[in-house]
Amino acid sequence: MAIMQRSVLVVDDDPHIRDLLTFALGKAGLATREAGDGEAALAAIAEQAPDLVILDINMPRMDGIEVCRRIRAHGALPVLFLSSRDDEIDRILGIELGADDYVVKPFSPREVVARVAAILRRVNLSPPPPPPGAAQVGRLRWIRTAGAPLG
């Protein structure tokens, strides 16, 4: 299940979890970077935008929920929450905040890799937005030429 040319930022305050995920994702062909807290995650995203972020919720300095809010304020970067919070309300809140998926600790590294691959496939299949001055319905697209009415 190799996924080439994609990068994942693994954000968790536990270095063992970061190492485990980095190893599993690397075996799947993904480039990885790591951050130990929310502030470092935002800096890493700004420095070199990853294709997806795996984000722990409970972290020092800035929790994963605030990091997700800030990510969503600037775009649609895919986020997979990784958390020890396993109540239904926590999973629902994570998805409602904008996470693309939610995995509860303890977790299977193979399952996380499979979920990452599924999210990246969905992102890759999303059609690009129509250019300015264009309209689209399904697969039908109109592009307005200079001065021409749309229709």
Side-chain angles (χ1 to χ4, degrees):
M1 169 194 329
I3 308 164
M4 302 308 290
Q5 308 300 324
R6 299 297 207 134
S7 65
V8 176
L9 176 64
V10 178
V11 186
D12 198 297
D13 58 328
D14 184 336
H16 299 293
I17 290 177
R18 290 194 314 265
D19 289 346
L20 176 65
L21 287 173
T22 298
F23 177 77
L25 294 163
K27 286 195 59 103
L30 291 157
T32 58
R33 296 185 64 206
E34 299 178 28
D37 62 58
E39 291 176 359
L42 292 175
I45 291 167
E47 179 183 311
Q48 185 178 7
D51 295 304
L52 182 140
V53 177
I54 296 176
L55 186 59
D56 183 22
I57 292 180
N58 296 321
M59 292 185 296
R61 297 174 62 172
M62 182 185 302
D63 67 17
I65 292 171
E66 180 60 25
V67 174
C68 186
R69 282 188 182 123
R70 292 185 186 198
I71 289 170
R72 287 291 167 257
H74 296 286
L77 174 65
V79 173
L80 183 149
F81 271 139
L82 188 63
S83 179
S84 57
R85 297 180 184 180
D86 64 351
D87 289 336
E88 178 185 33
I89 190 66
D90 293 317
R91 295 188 308 268
I92 291 169
L93 178 62
I95 299 298
E96 287 179 349
L97 285 172
D100 296 275
D101 204 346
Y102 191 106
V103 175
V104 177
K105 295 177 185 177
F107 58 88
S108 158
R110 289 175 54 182
E111 179 184 358
V112 172
V113 169
R115 289 176 182 265
V116 165
I119 293 169
L120 291 174
R121 276 193 310 273
R122 282 194 305 269
V123 169
N124 199 34
L125 292 176
S126 299
Q136 183 170 342
V137 177
R139 293 176 50 192
L140 186 58
R141 181 181 293 183
W142 294 271
I143 299 176
R144 181 182 353 191
T145 57
L150 186 62

